[in-house]
Amino acid sequence: MYFQSLTAAQSYTGARPATQADPDHQGVAQGLRSSFQDFAATLKHSEQVAQSSMVGQADPHALVQALAQTELAVETAVIVRNKVVEAYQEILRMPV
């Protein structure tokens, strides 16, 4: 399971150059904001392709590609969420 998650995260990072770190970025907040916007754009694009496919206006190959990108994006978001929760729980376990 861990290997599949790692592969999904690496594939998504390679497929989406907009999520790569920019050397002249404003900070962590700006990077997170752009990642969230990129995630939302990926989901919106996939939804549009799926709707177009339902009425016969989109190529089935484009639909499969959009769904694969969405799957990678969601898996990456879940991995990040799990890491944040794990870090939070680790902080709670620290002695004061």
Side-chain angles (χ1 to χ4, degrees):
M1 180 66 184
Y2 177 73
F3 181 75
Q4 290 176 343
S5 301
L6 181 61
T7 303
Q10 289 172 344
S11 298
Y12 180 71
T13 302
R16 304 290 296 173
T19 61
Q20 292 178 352
D22 188 9
D24 58 343
H25 67 283
Q26 300 286 326
V28 174
Q30 182 68 25
L32 285 175
R33 183 179 301 122
S34 68
S35 295
F36 292 145
Q37 289 172 345
D38 192 36
F39 176 74
T42 300
L43 294 180
K44 185 175 182 179
H45 172 70
S46 295
E47 185 176 337
Q48 290 172 348
V49 171
Q51 288 175 351
S52 298
S53 177
M54 286 183 208
V55 295
Q57 295 176 349
D59 182 30
H61 179 69
L63 175 63
V64 171
Q65 184 178 12
L67 291 176
Q69 287 178 347
T70 301
E71 182 180 5
L72 288 174
V74 170
E75 286 180 6
T76 303
V78 168
I79 290 169
V80 170
R81 178 195 58 102
N82 290 345
K83 290 294 183 182
V84 169
V85 168
E86 184 179 312
Y88 179 73
Q89 289 173 345
E90 186 68 27
I91 290 171
L92 288 178
R93 284 192 288 264
M94 288 182 178
V96 179

